[in-house]
Amino acid sequence: MRYISTRGQAPALNFEDVLLAGLATDGGLYVPENLPRFTQEEIASWAGLPYHELAFRVMRPFVTGSIPDADFKKILEETYGVFSHNAIAPLRQLNGNEWVMELFHGPTLAFKDFALQLLGRLLDYVLQKRGERVVIVGATSGDTGSAAIEGCKHCENVDIFILHPHNRVSEVQRRQMTTIFGDNIHNIAIEGNFDDCQEMVKASFADQSFLKGTRLVAVNSINWARIMAQIVYYFHAALQLGGPARSVSFSVPTGNFGDIFAGYLARNMGLPINQLIVATNRNDILHRFMSGNQYVKETLHATLSPSMDIMVSSNFERLLFDLHGRNGAAIAGLMDSFRQGGGFSVEPERWTEARKLFDSLAVDDAQTCETIAEVFEQSGELLDPHTAIGVRAARECRRSLDIPMVILGTAHPVKFPEAVEKAGVGKALELPAHLSDLFERDERCTVLPNDLKAVQAFVSQHGNRGKPL
Ligand SMILES: *Cc1c(COP(=O)(O)O)cnc(C)c1O
């Protein structure tokens, strides 16, 4: 499989190189040159497969030529073997024909484990083969950091540096990162906000001289491998609900448009999906596009669903690329005008095309809490605030009651106690068994000033398993 850039100017890469790449050299994102397409018979024959075997069938075309089948199977079995629920992504019924797909049974209790557990193992496999080492520098407002550290902690050839804003992530989230020790694991608390952290990561990709030749790898969802891993659970859910003979709809709490883009790909690979609902919080750039064809940057608001607090949605470029007939020059033009003026619209026929599949809703904090309380009362299920936004959007935007609606349950409620408390649900939150002593564990973290040079100096002094690069 070959991968091409959404801006049309960067060289095409194979899977191995795409795994190790960040942004393409032209500023674009990598996407498969040709998407595999499965027949209905083929998809139907996968019913009842264990999760890792389904994952093998869905993802195999993407890694062909880079990873032999037997090795890929083994990697997938190990990856999903660390999840604490036998079904890996169980469906729980909330209401008539309405389901939550629980994607929070991985080590860090958010859906990001599905991709980052795999990414760490894939990196180790490929780097071992090539005899190379890499450095990861990633920024997190919470969930990505812990999932990336958990995914990479056993990697022989990866040193991982995660920047989080000092005193601005929840205690559970911080401890999930800082209580994992290893000479290749480095937590850095930046005396600044999340945007400062993200700017430092971007600047480090732009000028990598501080790494003295060591390659820098991305762990956010611009990395293709993350999107790829998320396609699988759309197939998994549909197969349990009568698919592919019957079509299914999904509501996806979204920020960077990564998770929902995976659903869009599943549909283009042959899975009958009737409707995809973009569910945002008050940071609603995606909702404003879907409802009014305006993609315009606005100020960032802190919400009770912090993992979706974004101003611009990086993966949205991958959808725009398809909406523009995969014309890289057109996307480069759009992104240029976005950078200069802070917004754009697309031609009406392109927007109408998108609206055939996508609907959207923005849900504020009060409505989020209302939904947590409502669902708890109706069904006894305690939702995290991100998932609650998905449920709210599903209930308001649903096109057909006859078609099963699956809401992606993106995190365990214990990660977001503030929202659960505000919802007034009188249920104590308990950490799952493997994290029950989280608050007693020692922490390891370095606080650094909001200064790029200081951070880069730290990375180059510790980037080789704690030793200088
Ligand atoms: C990351 C995250 C999201 C948003 O996912 P995107 O792929 O960026 O759309 C939603 N919910 C939770 C809990 C997350 O951690």
Side-chain angles (χ1 to χ4, degrees):
M1 170 73 74
R2 277 156 45 94
Y3 294 85
I4 57 172
S5 165
T6 51
R7 299 197 193 171
Q9 296 296 314
L13 301 180
N14 65 20
F15 177 74
E16 209 174 294
D17 289 318
V18 127
L19 178 72
L20 299 174
L23 282 180
T25 50
D26 58 4
L29 280 75
Y30 276 104
V31 289
E33 186 169 43
N34 296 297
L35 209 58
R37 207 176 155 88
F38 305 119
T39 65
Q40 301 299 288
E41 296 72 45
E42 213 171 351
I43 298 171
S45 75
W46 300 339
L49 286 180
Y51 192 89
H52 64 272
E53 288 194 26
L54 176 67
F56 173 73
R57 284 160 177 83
V58 172
M59 289 191 275
R60 182 179 184 223
F62 295 117
V63 307
T64 302
S66 293
I67 306 181
D69 284 356
D71 293 345
F72 193 43
K73 276 188 181 169
K74 190 158 160 273
I75 289 171
L76 290 169
E77 198 171 346
E78 279 173 23
T79 298
Y80 297 106
V82 303
F83 281 59
S84 65
H85 195 295
N86 286 338
I88 313 297
L91 290 176
R92 203 179 269 273
Q93 188 159 20
L94 288 187
N95 230 321
N97 236 356
E98 184 192 64
W99 312 76
V100 168
M101 173 158 55
E102 296 184 348
L103 300 174
F104 47 75
H105 297 288
T108 72
L109 316 180
F111 81 90
K112 291 183 171 76
D113 288 326
F114 277 82
L116 286 164
Q117 283 293 319
L118 179 59
L119 183 69
R121 286 172 174 82
L122 288 173
L123 283 175
D124 223 25
Y125 176 86
V126 163
L127 293 170
Q128 201 103 28
K129 198 170 70 174
R130 292 159 75 121
E132 282 177 32
R133 300 186 56 78
V134 299
V135 162
I136 288 171
V137 181
T140 188
S141 56
D143 295 335
T144 304
S146 55
I149 289 173
E150 274 288 347
C152 295
K153 67 182 180 186
H154 296 308
C155 294
E156 292 288 332
N157 303 298
V158 179
D159 274 85
I160 179 164
F161 295 82
I162 295 293
L163 318 184
H164 73 262
H166 190 35
N167 292 332
R168 295 191 201 204
V169 298
S170 79
E171 185 169 6
V172 172
Q173 289 181 321
R174 187 192 72 236
R175 285 180 167 275
Q176 282 187 308
M177 299 190 275
T178 57
T179 57
I180 300 172
F181 298 166
D183 53 11
N184 63 331
I185 297 168
H186 313 274
N187 277 287
I188 303 176
I190 299 292
E191 291 172 323
N193 60 28
F194 172 65
D195 284 326
D196 297 326
C197 298
Q198 203 161 34
E199 278 309 312
M200 288 197 218
V201 174
K202 276 190 200 151
S204 300
F205 270 97
D207 177 5
Q208 305 187 10
S209 53
F210 72 104
L211 293 170
K212 309 191 168 100
T214 306
R215 194 200 282 259
L216 188 62
V217 169
V219 283
N220 59 4
S221 55
I222 64 169
N223 191 313
W224 163 255
R226 280 193 55 183
I227 305 289
M228 173 184 84
Q230 292 167 197
I231 298 170
V232 177
Y233 45 67
Y234 287 90
F235 282 87
H236 186 71
L239 282 164
Q240 287 176 77
L241 295 171
R246 191 182 186 206
S247 71
V248 177
S249 295
F250 292 89
S251 176
V252 187
T254 187
N256 264 326
F257 205 74
D259 216 2
I260 193 164
F261 185 70
Y264 162 83
L265 293 178
R267 179 172 178 270
N268 289 350
M269 289 163 70
L271 187 70
I273 294 179
N274 179 262
Q275 182 187 15
L276 284 174
I277 300 173
V278 172
T280 76
N281 63 24
R282 190 178 164 200
N283 298 295
D284 61 348
I285 185 166
L286 289 168
H287 170 60
R288 283 180 280 119
F289 176 81
M290 290 300 172
S291 58
N293 191 8
Q294 294 282 323
Y295 194 75
V296 181
K297 199 163 153 171
E298 279 190 2
T299 46
L300 185 70
H301 302 283
T303 72
L304 291 174
S305 45
S307 303
M308 309 201 303
D309 286 351
I310 51 95
M311 279 193 291
V312 291
S313 214
S314 44
N315 282 292
F316 190 56
E317 180 166 341
R318 287 180 158 127
L319 178 70
L320 286 171
F321 183 57
D322 281 4
L323 288 178
H324 288 77
R326 310 204 110 198
N327 176 348
I331 300 305
L334 266 188
M335 289 302 153
D336 260 352
S337 65
F338 183 70
R339 210 176 27 246
Q340 283 158 23
F344 60 76
S345 306
V346 302
E347 282 115 277
E349 25 338 326
R350 303 191 197 284
W351 180 78
T352 308
E353 187 58 33
R355 287 303 312 273
K356 286 182 187 161
L357 179 63
F358 292 100
D359 287 290
S360 69
L361 188 71
V363 178
D364 67 20
D365 279 351
Q367 293 167 324
T368 303
C369 292
E370 223 172 81
T371 308
I372 293 174
E374 176 185 299
V375 170
F376 186 71
E377 204 166 287
Q378 286 169 350
S379 62
E381 290 303 320
L382 186 53
L383 303 179
D384 99 287
H386 305 81
T387 308
I389 287 172
V391 170
R392 180 83 174 209
R395 290 181 177 179
E396 291 200 19
C397 302
R398 191 164 178 178
R399 290 178 189 171
S400 162
L401 290 175
D402 298 328
I403 295 171
M405 171 61 72
V406 178
I407 297 109
L408 269 56
T410 52
H412 192 292
V414 77
K415 291 193 91 165
F416 301 97
E418 191 189 347
V420 175
E421 267 160 40
K422 288 208 165 123
V425 177
K427 185 179 170 186
L429 286 165
E430 253 177 65
L431 285 160
H434 74 278
L435 289 172
S436 59
D437 64 342
L438 187 67
F439 287 91
E440 281 95 67
R441 294 183 195 167
D442 289 337
E443 294 187 73
R444 199 170 291 174
C445 182
T446 305
V447 181
L448 290 178
N450 183 8
D451 171 23
L452 180 65
K453 288 279 166 287
V455 172
Q456 293 187 337
F458 184 88
V459 173
S460 66
Q461 274 157 30
H462 299 89
N464 186 10
R465 300 201 80 89
K467 296 196 272 308
L469 283 172

